[in-house]
Amino acid sequence: DLNDTGIIYVLSRASAEDWAQKLELQGFSARPYHAGLDLEVRKQNQEAFVRDEVKIIVATTAFGMGINKSNVRFVIHLDLPKNIESYYQETGRAGRDGLQSEAVLFYSAGDAAKLRRFAFQSTDQEHAYALIEKLEKMIELCERTVCRRKLILNYFGEQAPESCSSCDVCLTTYTYEDGTIYAQKALSAVARLGSTFGLNYLIDFLRGSKSERIVDEHRALPTYGVGSRTDKDEWRRYFRELIAQGYLRQIPGEHTHIALTKKSLPVLSGQEKLQFVARRAKQRVESDTALCEEALFTQLKQLRLEIAREENVPAYIVFSDATLLALATYLPQKISELRSISGFGEIKTARYGERFLAPIAAYCDEHGLTSRVAEVFRERAR
């Protein structure tokens, strides 16, 4: 939606500039924000966002601290955050008004490898290992098929139910397949190579690659080439699942190595079987705002912006999105009905009541609708 407000997080200044420009060319209202911008430009872009004059900020992690903007509808991470603390803080900037909002994270194993390399550029090895440890927890959050909310809360030492009914994992139906044979081949490769090689080498070894990078003595091992009928992407998925389920672990370093864990031994010996995710099917999610008149909601947001500019205040100071959503859902027709809408106290009803009733009345006349305010009282009585 061109009218939705959101924050897009990236790791580099160049990406912030590039994506803001791309969004503008697609018709979105977007500005970049990063430490490399002139201080006055940063200030202008931030204020325009807070006042709803700009809908999207494409920012590095330098953005967001101390901003009390309640109507952020989405937070998108185009790059993998370096740790769960940052991710938790940044996603927490969406939906502060209590309305449904989205957090979207784009993840790839390549991003993780890049961040590992960056961490080990530090001259302080102890600091580098601390960064890697936090990064591995962030990667685990992305790769495990466990409720995301549960993983985040458990990370901070809090308890959580098995399902939040809101994250992608909980809204997906998983079909599983027996992955024991693939697991045994992968674990055997790690064991044969002494837990001193990275993921790409292991996959090439299993597939019987003729590449010169494969050590001659490894070509003589019985596990060499046993996975030749399985393509690279599938093997990568199997290894990721084994790591996510704790059968393998990653040893941090400039070049990360894959190693066995105690949990892997029963699988190698044939005493334990395990399953891999075979297929994912998204469940349909019904909107909580099915009765909202979207076109009217857009009109009311425009009116709010006009008033905010007149009074030189951020738009959310006039009314929150939650109040406008209630107006566009319950369609009050007179001042007395406005008072049943959250956000309309005596002062705001007197100051803005008539101005907001006018477009609601016009919309209802055009579409043959009447007030639904009585439903507010029925909901509150439940």
Side-chain angles (χ1 to χ4, degrees):
D1 188 336
L2 291 174
N3 292 302
D4 275 350
T5 299
I7 305 171
I8 298 176
Y9 284 106
V10 293
L11 287 179
S12 74
R13 299 173 183 181
S15 290
E17 297 276 357
D18 185 44
W19 278 103
Q21 185 178 38
K22 286 178 180 177
L23 288 166
E24 284 282 346
L25 291 173
Q26 292 294 320
F28 292 90
S29 171
R31 297 267 181 89
Y33 186 100
H34 57 76
L37 289 173
D38 179 80
L39 180 60
E40 187 59 32
V41 174
R42 288 209 310 271
K43 183 179 177 182
Q44 289 173 0
N45 289 355
Q46 178 173 309
E47 288 183 353
F49 178 69
V50 170
R51 293 174 180 273
D52 272 358
E53 294 167 1
V54 167
K55 296 298 181 183
I56 300 172
I57 282 288
V58 187
T60 59
T61 52
F63 181 79
M65 294 297 289
I67 293 178
N68 185 26
K69 184 172 172 61
S70 64
N71 65 329
V72 175
R73 293 274 71 83
F74 63 85
V75 169
I76 297 174
H77 284 84
L78 293 180
D79 296 310
L80 180 67
K82 297 176 182 178
N83 52 64
I84 291 179
E85 287 88 348
S86 295
Y87 181 66
Y88 181 74
Q89 183 182 69
E90 289 157 10
T91 54
R93 290 168 187 147
R96 292 183 175 180
D97 55 7
L99 295 184
Q100 183 174 317
S101 303
E102 288 189 275
V104 178
L105 168 61
F106 290 91
Y107 168 75
S108 76
D111 284 346
K114 181 170 64 176
L115 287 175
R116 286 192 190 99
R117 289 195 297 272
F118 287 161
F120 274 95
Q121 289 176 2
S122 171
T123 55
D124 183 345
Q125 288 297 296
E126 186 176 343
H127 178 62
Y129 277 100
L131 293 177
I132 288 292
E133 186 176 359
K134 286 182 175 292
L135 175 61
E136 295 302 337
K137 289 295 183 181
M138 186 68 221
I139 293 169
E140 180 184 354
L141 172 65
C142 296
E143 294 192 341
R144 290 190 65 185
T145 51
V146 176
C147 171
R148 313 284 183 201
R149 181 174 183 271
K150 175 179 173 61
L151 286 176
I152 290 172
L153 291 179
N154 288 172
Y155 176 82
F156 289 110
E158 298 182 32
Q159 297 301 310
E162 294 300 316
S163 173
C164 67
S165 302
S166 295
C167 73
D168 63 306
V169 172
C170 294
L171 294 175
T172 301
T173 300
Y174 293 91
T175 303
Y176 293 88
E177 63 184 0
D178 188 344
T180 307
I181 298 298
Y182 294 108
Q184 287 175 332
K185 289 179 180 180
L187 297 174
S188 179
V190 175
R192 293 280 185 180
L193 298 181
S195 297
T196 56
F197 289 87
L199 180 60
N200 290 330
Y201 190 93
L202 286 163
I203 292 174
D204 285 345
F205 171 78
L206 281 165
R207 298 189 75 249
S209 171
K210 306 302 181 184
S211 170
E212 292 181 359
R213 68 195 294 260
I214 302 296
V215 179
D216 285 340
E217 63 187 69
H218 290 167
R219 299 176 192 270
L221 294 173
T223 315
Y224 175 68
V226 296
S228 59
R229 295 184 180 180
T230 305
D231 65 34
K232 285 187 175 183
D233 287 341
E234 281 297 283
W235 272 121
R236 197 173 300 278
R237 181 169 72 88
Y238 294 148
F239 271 102
R240 284 204 296 264
E241 289 224 30
L242 287 168
I243 292 167
Q245 293 185 42
Y247 293 96
L248 290 173
R249 64 188 178 93
Q250 295 175 298
I251 301 176
E254 189 172 352
H255 301 288
T256 301
H257 298 161
I258 308 296
L260 298 176
T261 69
K262 289 182 179 179
K263 190 175 178 181
S264 64
L265 299 180
V267 178
L268 268 174
S269 63
Q271 298 174 4
E272 180 184 329
K273 293 187 176 183
L274 57 80
Q275 293 184 318
F276 289 150
V277 173
R279 187 172 58 84
R280 309 176 184 209
K282 280 284 187 134
Q283 299 173 15
R284 185 175 178 180
V285 182
E286 298 295 336
S287 171
D288 292 333
T289 59
L291 291 176
C292 173
E293 302 294 330
E294 292 290 344
L296 176 59
F297 186 43
T298 299
Q299 290 179 34
L300 296 178
K301 285 199 285 188
Q302 184 58 40
L303 173 57
R304 178 182 62 180
L305 182 57
E306 292 173 8
I307 294 173
R309 285 172 176 167
E310 291 169 9
E311 300 186 357
N312 195 29
V313 296
Y316 68 85
I317 295 295
V318 179
F319 285 117
S320 68
D321 275 11
T323 295
L324 300 191
L325 184 64
L327 291 176
T329 299
Y330 296 111
L331 310 174
Q333 304 288 301
K334 48 194 177 184
I335 292 292
S336 60
E337 290 185 329
L338 272 181
R339 295 192 178 97
S340 65
I341 303 296
S342 178
F344 274 91
E346 291 298 326
I347 294 175
K348 288 195 174 182
T349 299
R351 182 181 297 177
Y352 307 125
E354 296 294 346
R355 291 187 69 174
F356 278 90
L357 284 176
I360 296 171
Y363 184 90
C364 288
D365 286 344
E366 181 182 352
H367 295 87
L369 298 171
T370 58
S371 171
R372 302 171 186 154
V373 169
E375 295 181 25
V376 180
F377 296 105
R378 283 202 295 271
E379 288 186 3
R380 290 176 181 173
R382 287 173 187 171

